[in-house]
Amino acid sequence: MCTAATYLTKDFYMGRTLDYEFSYGEEIAVMPRNYPIHFHYAGVLKQHYAMIGMAHMADGYPLYYDAANEKGLGMAGLNFVGNAAYAEETKEKENVAQYEFIPWILSRCATVEEAKAALGKMNLTGISFSDQLPSAQLHWIIADKNGCIVVESMKDGFHVYDNPAGVLTNNPPFPQQMFLLNQYRNLSPKQPENQFSKELPLDMYSRGMGALGLPGDLSSTSRFARVAFTKLNSQSGDTEEESVSQFFHILGSVDQQRGCCEVAEGKYEITIYTSCCNTSKGIYYYTTYENPQITAVSMHAEDLEGMEVVSYPMLQKTEIRYQN
Amino acid sequence: MCTAATYLTKDFYMGRTLDYEFSYGEEIAVMPRNYPIHFHYAGVLKQHYAMIGMAHMADGYPLYYDAANEKGLGMAGLNFVGNAAYAEETKEKENVAQYEFIPWILSRCATVEEAKAALGKMNLTGISFSDQLPSAQLHWIIADKNGCIVVESMKDGFHVYDNPAGVLTNNPPFPQQMFLLNQYRNLSPKQPENQFSKELPLDMYSRGMGALGLPGDLSSTSRFARVAFTKLNSQSGDTEEESVSQFFHILGSVDQQRGCCEVAEGKYEITIYTSCCNTSKGIYYYTTYENPQITAVSMHAEDLEGMEVVSYPMLQKTEIRYQN
Amino acid sequence: MCTAATYLTKDFYMGRTLDYEFSYGEEIAVMPRNYPIHFHYAGVLKQHYAMIGMAHMADGYPLYYDAANEKGLGMAGLNFVGNAAYAEETKEKENVAQYEFIPWILSRCATVEEAKAALGKMNLTGISFSDQLPSAQLHWIIADKNGCIVVESMKDGFHVYDNPAGVLTNNPPFPQQMFLLNQYRNLSPKQPENQFSKELPLDMYSRGMGALGLPGDLSSTSRFARVAFTKLNSQSGDTEEESVSQFFHILGSVDQQRGCCEVAEGKYEITIYTSCCNTSKGIYYYTTYENPQITAVSMHAEDLEGMEVVSYPMLQKTEIRYQN
Amino acid sequence: MCTAATYLTKDFYMGRTLDYEFSYGEEIAVMPRNYPIHFHYAGVLKQHYAMIGMAHMADGYPLYYDAANEKGLGMAGLNFVGNAAYAEETKEKENVAQYEFIPWILSRCATVEEAKAALGKMNLTGISFSDQLPSAQLHWIIADKNGCIVVESMKDGFHVYDNPAGVLTNNPPFPQQMFLLNQYRNLSPKQPENQFSKELPLDMYSRGMGALGLPGDLSSTSRFARVAFTKLNSQSGDTEEESVSQFFHILGSVDQQRGCCEVAEGKYEITIYTSCCNTSKGIYYYTTYENPQITAVSMHAEDLEGMEVVSYPMLQKTEIRYQN
């Protein structure tokens, strides 16, 4: 499935893994300020914040999986199959189709606070982009350097949750994922005290025993706990290289290796790409399953006053650097 | 600490992580066939198999952490603190100092079978290389495309074990690590059957639930289980790129992120480097904590009839590739 | 805290543990059909089903912890601290104070189906019995031989859930407890297949390895999983002795031993009593922490046409039977 | 399989569970001082310490499963299948057949110290009692109020280990069981501190969360950890009733419920009996799967100067005490 995380050093970073058994063809897409966004209900928006992110390009229209705008607000959609349920069209709020939710928010909101206000006025519907691209069952993480929220549209309503952990995976709903972290209260990067019994000379036979009990499998609940532990205990310098490097190590903790998650006979879910967007600077970094070198696309290297989406295909080939 | 693994596709691959809170300064060192190896007890060996590996260079002498020779035999030493115990010098066998154990084996053995025979004739002592470089407490994994063994010198004797899992971490001794895998018999890359109760409609809320119970922390027992599961269930093509890529994903499952293993106030163990040697072709690939791009040194790019060790410092800088 | 379970053989059995660090003084209380029940809102009910259960007797009024009526319907209240929230008095439904919820249901409902209907017409308020006995934060399990439900009154509403597991403990809310059972899908009373790797000769070193991963601590989530596994896989004959014996083994799986759950310096929660009511026959069996012999009170040994509650103090002394 | 434990209050208590899918027919057997013990190698011992314990009576000869002598020394044999290996007969030590190991020790040793000395002079052989009763694969726990040891006869030798935990189950060998307790260092009867992350307001939703991670299944490794945690953290008064009651709660933590451990189609291992011997006073208490009332046989109620073994069948019937 997928995992998202945020990370704050001098700048604010946000990224995600996309885990699946095949790719729809993703590209890093920069949408400049004057690209006319055709919203399903609201018509055309001619001027808006510029944004950069990973998207499936559908006839020139970027269906974003995750993106950030020039103001530093980021947003990602993650699978939420079985729980996502969208509303019917209404006249009382501004209708937004789920496939255009990311550009709708990023085009007009500079901060999480503004996003919260916008979420209060909108109504998320399940209209699909096209017959070929049916509506996806997703939930969303929205974050800036000051805060993080999760948006879940379910049968029992439209929920907006504060997310103090700054991570998201998939099922179950966010409050249950957070509840499950209670089970790991006593895990620590430090070596554990002997609390079992003072009468036994229990040995610390290895470093790293303080987190014994942290789950190591690829289910969404285990990835949530593992990435939260890794992110919340992360230590790094605050230069761009150190920050980006540490961020990829954080999401590396939930990397899906080919063979470990069989979804059908001979078909395996893998981490197709991992992204890290410096939302402060508008640089989108990524790696792919076969290409671990960090590759980057910078929003500000494009003409942000332009009217066309500029997109770059992911570089997926393993590029080995020989020293001799 | 450290983790080692093997992987067989068309070629045979072997590598390891080195996890520690600081580096002694490692280089990729190619030892050609005519470099005179000065053994502590046995004098000078003038001709031998060439080898390549990661070493701390001490006045031109390579103290190998892990290496492979031109015949395809690989060997790595991993921390075994508290359990390693070396023998006194003896007259009945050929004495070998622990610091020269890797070149002693790789210089003369073409296969695991030959290594087994050589191990039967030798006596491993704790003599240190110098006062500045005291004897390390290690155990070793030796492997070729046909087999894998573990060597542990302990108070109760010198042990050579077959290693059907093809992985190694640290404490406890290898037989106990293998015993612990019994606890994970029922883990699988496939989705789990509902065996709990036929009366309950238990949900598969996520992919990847078949390995629930796999440990996710950084202790040596948990890394052993996790890397074994990942390696033994790995699926990849057999080209060089696919094989090497998959190998780094296997060892990525036990990556140590900075902050998750505190070894002293403010000091953190991290994965300093990860290596993958194609022992069939003599190519040594590696990544470092800050440099995820795969970098390579090829044995056969050097003059293997030479008399000097050629070494290359690890490239540790994060090199980002910009697409725009 | 507490654990409740149901068990069906020829008759239907229902019981619970009461776990706490001290006792309020409990008695087994038989309420005959003509005892006038003074309800807080609804006045006096002069005729009703007879019931038997464990109660704190407050000036002759039985504050039931768990009970069953002569029709075979059973009900128990368990701690639900932090989640229970009761409604304000209303004019649209029949108000019921939480302290009288058990007799309100058992006095008028013969089956779970009738209880469901009654629940739809009532409003549960937080009025306390007296200043000395403030309102308890509880949720309830109601069961007969054909079904089982859970009732939770929370901030977000009054919930009635079907309970296919037939067990209940404490926090979190019931749907989350049921969700957590998904984590144990692959646990089984049978020995586990080796799914980890066909290349490893993993050993079944012990019987009972099929449930490795079942939690063994005393938290409410772990007790829920353990008692569910034990109950749903239980095997017994269907005589009264075999059924009752097996039932106490089921709840024995979540027994709280003195010392294992410290709630304040030197204060320990223990299983004060364990009950098993044959709701078909109106016999209430129990054991206490110090008295493991099964003791019983039979509803039908009393005059069920009477007007007074008859109560028996729990026999708590360890009675050892000497054979010589 | 089986679990044994010791417990010290004013007196010293030792007992065990016997877990199996059927019973060989056990009796509580008192062997007086003048019963002539016919040892397989050493001939007849006419005078010795008296002992009491659970035995299979084979033509008047008690094959003890567990017993204690009048000096306060206790001993129990537990399954050790696949690891137990007995020695060949020798002329250099005193040969003892495994089936007579318990009476051989208890007849002559008053303390663990004396037992250690005797173990140094003996040689344990695999001779069976009869063709119908082949040699059992066992290991043994021997304890008095001052100490506890474990005896394991294996292919690699005859081992005597100090046992600071005072518990024993089955495979793997004792040192590995003790090693595994290291995994539970941080478990505690107290509520856990939030060490996961100071940024998260993790909730203590239940009491008893300090031991999250303790295994709850019936495998020998999980029973070892659970009974060790329960025993080492036990709190009780020191009267006979309080001590005995607490002891049965300790072994109750590893009770095997019918249905949870299937050993063959439709066959289930259960806890056939649980014993608790006050070795200071020579009183043998027990419960059975169907009879939870504590039943007792006192050594000193018999003529300890007698020449015949006196035995009592286990009372296995559920005896319910009616209060009305």
Side-chain angles (χ1 to χ4, degrees):
Chain A
M1 315 295 272
C2 313
T3 307
T6 64
Y7 192 54
L8 180 68
T9 60
K10 265 196 314 196
D11 284 343
F12 181 67
Y13 301 85
M14 184 174 176
R16 62 92 59 81
T17 63
L18 185 112
D19 309 325
Y20 214 58
E21 66 269 30
F22 64 89
S23 165
Y24 285 96
E26 292 84 26
E27 307 192 29
I28 301 90
V30 179
M31 182 193 285
R33 293 173 194 128
N34 298 311
Y35 169 79
I37 312 181
H38 290 257
F39 286 108
H40 185 82
Y41 298 100
V44 179
L45 183 68
K46 291 187 174 167
Q47 277 202 317
H48 49 78
Y49 296 139
M51 62 190 81
I52 185 169
M54 193 68 83
H56 174 70
M57 294 301 293
D59 298 329
Y61 181 87
L63 289 161
Y64 280 114
Y65 297 7
D66 53 274
N69 68 19
E70 57 182 308
K71 294 296 181 185
L73 184 67
M75 182 168 176
L78 286 83
N79 259 336
F80 194 46
V81 178
N83 278 305
Y86 304 112
E88 293 300 309
E89 201 176 320
T90 178
K91 291 190 174 164
E92 290 161 27
K93 294 193 167 184
E94 189 165 345
N95 294 294
V96 178
Q98 62 82 23
Y99 71 80
E100 65 193 10
F101 189 21
I102 290 179
W104 192 85
I105 290 286
L106 296 185
S107 61
R108 69 198 65 200
C109 303
T111 62
V112 166
E113 283 311 307
E114 288 184 26
K116 277 186 185 176
L119 291 167
K121 296 173 189 159
M122 61 163 275
N123 177 58
L124 196 65
T125 79
I127 287 289
S128 62
F129 179 73
S130 69
D131 290 351
Q132 287 70 46
L133 291 166
S135 173
Q137 296 193 58
L138 303 175
H139 57 172
W140 291 267
I141 180 171
I142 304 176
D144 63 19
K145 66 182 174 190
N146 294 313
C148 183
I149 58 174
V150 167
V151 178
E152 298 187 333
S153 182
M154 296 173 60
K155 268 189 199 160
D156 67 352
F158 186 76
H159 306 287
V160 179
Y161 302 107
D162 284 323
N163 181 348
V167 301
L168 189 66
T169 62
N170 312 106
N171 288 336
F174 180 72
Q176 290 184 52
Q177 290 278 22
M178 287 301 292
F179 175 82
L180 286 176
L181 294 188
N182 295 323
Q183 307 289 64
Y184 307 110
R185 272 178 75 87
N186 61 342
L187 270 50
S188 166
K190 295 179 195 286
Q191 289 291 58
E193 294 294 310
N194 176 2
Q195 301 185 116
F196 189 91
S197 169
K198 296 212 171 84
E199 294 172 46
L200 296 185
L202 297 176
D203 187 27
M204 279 192 291
Y205 63 85
S206 171
R207 293 167 162 203
M209 293 173 68
L212 269 162
L214 192 68
D217 65 286
L218 298 175
S219 68
S220 46
T221 47
S222 297
R223 282 183 285 111
F224 194 95
R226 200 154 71 250
V227 77
F229 181 78
T230 307
K231 176 253 167 108
L232 291 162
N233 290 294
S234 268
Q235 299 282 342
S236 75
D238 59 7
T239 68
E240 186 69 357
E241 284 76 14
E242 290 168 312
S243 303
V244 170
S245 167
Q246 184 69 16
F247 190 91
F248 280 101
H249 281 282
I250 292 169
L251 285 184
S253 70
V254 291
D255 179 45
Q256 296 205 191
Q257 303 89 3
R258 193 187 296 105
C260 292
C261 179
E262 186 172 335
V263 296
E265 190 65 29
K267 291 197 185 296
Y268 303 96
E269 183 164 294
I270 62 168
T271 296
I272 291 175
Y273 75 82
T274 305
S275 69
C276 167
C277 187
N278 179 331
T279 70
S280 311
K281 290 198 173 66
I283 307 174
Y284 191 94
Y285 304 93
Y286 69 91
T287 60
T288 74
Y289 194 81
E290 301 288 350
N291 181 16
Q293 186 184 11
I294 299 169
T295 309
V297 174
S298 173
M299 175 193 282
H300 295 288
E302 306 298 330
D303 173 15
L304 293 187
E305 294 297 334
M307 295 184 65
E308 299 287 335
V309 170
V310 182
S311 69
Y312 296 86
M314 279 203 292
L315 300 183
Q316 306 215 40
K317 206 174 156 313
T318 314
E319 296 271 1
I320 292 163
R321 177 174 177 177
Y322 278 87
Q323 281 184 273
N324 70 348
Chain B
M1 315 295 273
C2 314
T3 307
T6 64
Y7 192 54
L8 181 68
T9 60
K10 268 197 311 197
D11 285 344
F12 181 67
Y13 301 85
M14 182 176 177
R16 60 93 59 82
T17 64
L18 185 113
D19 308 325
Y20 213 59
E21 65 270 31
F22 64 88
S23 165
Y24 285 96
E26 291 84 28
E27 306 191 29
I28 302 90
V30 179
M31 183 193 284
R33 294 176 192 125
N34 298 313
Y35 168 79
I37 313 181
H38 290 258
F39 285 108
H40 184 82
Y41 298 100
V44 177
L45 183 68
K46 291 187 176 166
Q47 277 202 319
H48 50 78
Y49 296 138
M51 62 191 80
I52 185 170
M54 193 67 83
H56 174 69
M57 294 301 293
D59 298 328
Y61 180 87
L63 289 161
Y64 280 114
Y65 297 7
D66 54 273
N69 68 19
E70 57 183 305
K71 294 297 180 183
L73 185 67
M75 182 168 177
L78 285 82
N79 260 335
F80 195 46
V81 178
N83 278 305
Y86 304 112
E88 294 299 309
E89 201 176 320
T90 179
K91 290 189 175 164
E92 288 161 29
K93 295 196 167 182
E94 189 165 345
N95 294 296
V96 178
Q98 63 82 24
Y99 71 81
E100 64 194 11
F101 188 22
I102 289 178
W104 191 85
I105 290 287
L106 295 185
S107 62
R108 71 201 63 204
C109 302
T111 62
V112 165
E113 283 311 307
E114 289 184 26
K116 277 187 186 177
L119 291 168
K121 296 173 189 160
M122 62 163 276
N123 178 56
L124 195 65
T125 79
I127 287 289
S128 63
F129 179 73
S130 71
D131 290 351
Q132 286 71 45
L133 292 165
S135 172
Q137 296 193 58
L138 303 175
H139 57 171
W140 291 267
I141 181 170
I142 304 175
D144 63 18
K145 66 182 172 190
N146 294 314
C148 182
I149 58 174
V150 167
V151 178
E152 297 187 333
S153 182
M154 295 172 60
K155 267 188 199 160
D156 68 352
F158 186 77
H159 306 287
V160 179
Y161 302 106
D162 283 324
N163 181 349
V167 301
L168 189 66
T169 62
N170 313 104
N171 288 334
F174 181 71
Q176 289 183 52
Q177 290 277 23
M178 287 302 291
F179 174 81
L180 286 176
L181 293 188
N182 294 324
Q183 308 288 65
Y184 307 110
R185 273 179 75 86
N186 61 343
L187 270 50
S188 165
K190 293 179 196 287
Q191 288 291 59
E193 294 295 311
N194 177 3
Q195 303 184 115
F196 189 90
S197 169
K198 296 211 172 84
E199 295 173 47
L200 297 185
L202 297 176
D203 186 27
M204 279 194 289
Y205 62 86
S206 172
R207 293 167 161 201
M209 292 174 67
L212 268 162
L214 192 67
D217 65 285
L218 297 176
S219 68
S220 46
T221 47
S222 297
R223 281 184 285 111
F224 193 95
R226 201 154 70 249
V227 77
F229 181 78
T230 309
K231 177 250 167 108
L232 291 161
N233 290 294
S234 268
Q235 299 282 344
S236 74
D238 60 6
T239 68
E240 186 70 357
E241 285 76 13
E242 289 168 314
S243 304
V244 170
S245 167
Q246 184 68 16
F247 190 92
F248 281 102
H249 280 283
I250 291 169
L251 284 184
S253 71
V254 291
D255 178 46
Q256 297 205 190
Q257 304 89 1
R258 193 187 296 106
C260 293
C261 180
E262 185 172 335
V263 296
E265 189 67 28
K267 290 195 186 297
Y268 303 95
E269 183 164 292
I270 62 168
T271 296
I272 291 175
Y273 74 82
T274 305
S275 69
C276 167
C277 187
N278 178 330
T279 71
S280 310
K281 291 198 170 68
I283 308 174
Y284 191 94
Y285 303 93
Y286 69 90
T287 59
T288 73
Y289 194 80
E290 302 287 350
N291 181 15
Q293 186 183 11
I294 299 169
T295 309
V297 175
S298 172
M299 175 194 279
H300 295 287
E302 307 297 331
D303 173 14
L304 292 188
E305 294 297 334
M307 295 184 66
E308 299 287 335
V309 170
V310 181
S311 68
Y312 295 87
M314 279 202 292
L315 300 184
Q316 305 215 42
K317 206 174 154 314
T318 314
E319 297 270 0
I320 291 163
R321 176 173 179 178
Y322 278 87
Q323 282 184 272
N324 71 348
Chain C
M1 316 293 273
C2 314
T3 307
T6 64
Y7 192 55
L8 180 67
T9 60
K10 268 195 311 195
D11 285 343
F12 181 67
Y13 301 85
M14 183 176 178
R16 61 94 58 85
T17 64
L18 185 114
D19 308 325
Y20 214 59
E21 66 269 32
F22 64 89
S23 165
Y24 285 95
E26 291 83 28
E27 305 192 30
I28 301 90
V30 179
M31 182 193 285
R33 295 173 192 127
N34 297 313
Y35 168 79
I37 312 181
H38 289 258
F39 285 109
H40 184 82
Y41 298 98
V44 179
L45 184 68
K46 291 188 174 168
Q47 276 203 320
H48 50 78
Y49 296 139
M51 62 190 79
I52 184 170
M54 192 69 82
H56 173 71
M57 295 299 294
D59 296 330
Y61 180 86
L63 289 161
Y64 279 113
Y65 297 6
D66 54 273
N69 69 19
E70 59 183 304
K71 293 297 180 183
L73 184 67
M75 182 169 178
L78 285 84
N79 260 335
F80 194 46
V81 178
N83 278 305
Y86 303 112
E88 294 299 308
E89 201 175 319
T90 179
K91 289 189 175 166
E92 288 161 28
K93 294 193 168 185
E94 189 165 346
N95 294 295
V96 178
Q98 62 83 24
Y99 71 81
E100 65 193 10
F101 189 20
I102 290 179
W104 191 85
I105 289 288
L106 296 185
S107 61
R108 70 198 66 201
C109 303
T111 63
V112 166
E113 283 311 307
E114 288 184 25
K116 277 186 184 177
L119 291 167
K121 297 174 190 158
M122 62 163 275
N123 178 57
L124 195 64
T125 79
I127 286 290
S128 62
F129 179 73
S130 70
D131 291 350
Q132 286 71 46
L133 291 166
S135 171
Q137 295 193 59
L138 302 174
H139 56 171
W140 291 267
I141 181 171
I142 304 175
D144 63 19
K145 67 183 172 190
N146 294 313
C148 181
I149 58 174
V150 167
V151 178
E152 298 188 332
S153 182
M154 295 172 61
K155 268 188 199 160
D156 67 353
F158 186 76
H159 306 287
V160 179
Y161 302 106
D162 282 325
N163 182 347
V167 301
L168 190 65
T169 62
N170 313 104
N171 288 335
F174 180 72
Q176 290 184 52
Q177 291 277 22
M178 286 302 291
F179 175 81
L180 286 175
L181 293 188
N182 295 324
Q183 308 289 66
Y184 307 110
R185 272 179 75 86
N186 62 343
L187 271 50
S188 166
K190 294 180 196 286
Q191 288 291 58
E193 292 297 309
N194 176 3
Q195 302 185 116
F196 188 90
S197 170
K198 296 214 170 82
E199 296 173 45
L200 297 185
L202 297 177
D203 186 28
M204 280 193 288
Y205 63 85
S206 171
R207 295 168 161 200
M209 292 173 68
L212 268 162
L214 191 68
D217 65 285
L218 298 176
S219 68
S220 46
T221 48
S222 297
R223 281 183 284 112
F224 194 94
R226 201 155 69 249
V227 76
F229 182 78
T230 308
K231 177 249 166 114
L232 290 161
N233 289 293
S234 269
Q235 299 281 344
S236 74
D238 61 4
T239 67
E240 186 70 358
E241 283 76 13
E242 289 168 312
S243 304
V244 170
S245 167
Q246 185 68 16
F247 191 92
F248 280 101
H249 280 283
I250 291 169
L251 284 184
S253 71
V254 291
D255 178 46
Q256 298 205 189
Q257 304 88 2
R258 193 187 297 105
C260 291
C261 179
E262 186 172 335
V263 296
E265 189 67 30
K267 290 196 187 296
Y268 302 96
E269 183 164 293
I270 61 168
T271 296
I272 291 175
Y273 74 83
T274 305
S275 69
C276 167
C277 186
N278 179 330
T279 71
S280 312
K281 291 199 171 67
I283 308 174
Y284 192 94
Y285 303 93
Y286 69 91
T287 60
T288 74
Y289 194 81
E290 302 287 350
N291 181 16
Q293 186 183 12
I294 299 169
T295 309
V297 174
S298 172
M299 176 194 278
H300 295 287
E302 306 297 329
D303 174 13
L304 293 187
E305 295 296 335
M307 296 183 65
E308 299 287 335
V309 170
V310 181
S311 70
Y312 295 86
M314 279 202 293
L315 300 184
Q316 305 215 42
K317 206 174 157 311
T318 314
E319 297 270 0
I320 292 164
R321 175 173 177 177
Y322 278 88
Q323 281 185 273
N324 71 346
Chain D
M1 316 294 272
C2 315
T3 307
T6 64
Y7 192 55
L8 180 67
T9 59
K10 266 196 314 196
D11 284 344
F12 180 67
Y13 300 85
M14 182 176 179
R16 61 94 57 85
T17 63
L18 186 112
D19 308 325
Y20 214 59
E21 66 269 31
F22 64 88
S23 164
Y24 286 95
E26 292 84 27
E27 306 192 29
I28 301 91
V30 179
M31 183 193 285
R33 295 174 192 125
N34 297 313
Y35 169 79
I37 311 181
H38 290 258
F39 286 108
H40 184 81
Y41 297 100
V44 179
L45 183 69
K46 291 188 175 166
Q47 277 203 319
H48 50 76
Y49 296 138
M51 63 191 80
I52 184 170
M54 193 67 83
H56 174 70
M57 295 299 295
D59 298 327
Y61 180 86
L63 289 162
Y64 280 114
Y65 297 7
D66 55 272
N69 68 19
E70 59 183 307
K71 293 296 180 183
L73 184 67
M75 182 168 178
L78 286 83
N79 259 336
F80 194 46
V81 177
N83 277 304
Y86 303 112
E88 293 300 307
E89 200 176 321
T90 180
K91 290 190 172 162
E92 289 161 26
K93 293 193 167 186
E94 188 165 346
N95 293 295
V96 178
Q98 63 83 24
Y99 71 80
E100 65 194 9
F101 189 20
I102 289 178
W104 192 85
I105 290 287
L106 295 185
S107 61
R108 70 198 66 202
C109 303
T111 63
V112 165
E113 283 310 308
E114 287 184 26
K116 278 186 184 178
L119 291 167
K121 296 175 189 158
M122 62 162 274
N123 178 57
L124 195 65
T125 80
I127 287 290
S128 63
F129 180 73
S130 70
D131 290 352
Q132 287 70 45
L133 292 167
S135 172
Q137 296 193 59
L138 304 175
H139 57 172
W140 291 266
I141 182 171
I142 304 177
D144 64 18
K145 66 183 174 190
N146 295 313
C148 181
I149 58 175
V150 167
V151 178
E152 297 188 334
S153 182
M154 296 172 59
K155 268 189 199 159
D156 68 352
F158 186 76
H159 306 287
V160 179
Y161 302 106
D162 283 324
N163 182 348
V167 301
L168 189 65
T169 62
N170 313 104
N171 288 335
F174 180 71
Q176 289 184 53
Q177 291 276 24
M178 286 301 291
F179 174 81
L180 286 175
L181 293 188
N182 295 324
Q183 308 289 64
Y184 307 109
R185 273 178 75 86
N186 61 343
L187 270 49
S188 165
K190 294 180 195 286
Q191 288 292 57
E193 294 295 311
N194 176 3
Q195 301 184 117
F196 188 91
S197 170
K198 295 210 171 84
E199 294 173 45
L200 297 185
L202 297 176
D203 186 27
M204 281 193 289
Y205 62 86
S206 171
R207 293 167 163 200
M209 291 174 67
L212 268 162
L214 192 68
D217 65 285
L218 298 176
S219 69
S220 46
T221 48
S222 297
R223 281 184 283 112
F224 193 94
R226 201 155 69 248
V227 77
F229 181 78
T230 308
K231 176 251 167 110
L232 290 161
N233 290 295
S234 268
Q235 299 281 343
S236 74
D238 60 6
T239 66
E240 186 69 359
E241 283 77 13
E242 289 168 313
S243 304
V244 170
S245 166
Q246 184 68 15
F247 190 91
F248 280 102
H249 281 283
I250 291 170
L251 285 184
S253 70
V254 291
D255 178 45
Q256 297 205 191
Q257 303 89 3
R258 192 186 297 106
C260 291
C261 179
E262 185 171 336
V263 296
E265 191 65 30
K267 291 195 186 296
Y268 303 95
E269 182 164 295
I270 61 168
T271 296
I272 292 175
Y273 74 82
T274 304
S275 70
C276 167
C277 186
N278 179 331
T279 71
S280 311
K281 291 199 170 67
I283 307 174
Y284 192 94
Y285 304 93
Y286 69 91
T287 60
T288 73
Y289 194 80
E290 301 288 350
N291 181 15
Q293 184 184 13
I294 300 170
T295 309
V297 174
S298 173
M299 175 194 279
H300 296 288
E302 306 298 329
D303 173 16
L304 293 187
E305 293 297 335
M307 295 184 66
E308 298 287 336
V309 170
V310 181
S311 69
Y312 295 86
M314 279 203 291
L315 300 184
Q316 305 215 42
K317 206 174 156 311
T318 313
E319 296 269 0
I320 291 163
R321 176 172 177 178
Y322 278 87
Q323 281 185 274
N324 71 347

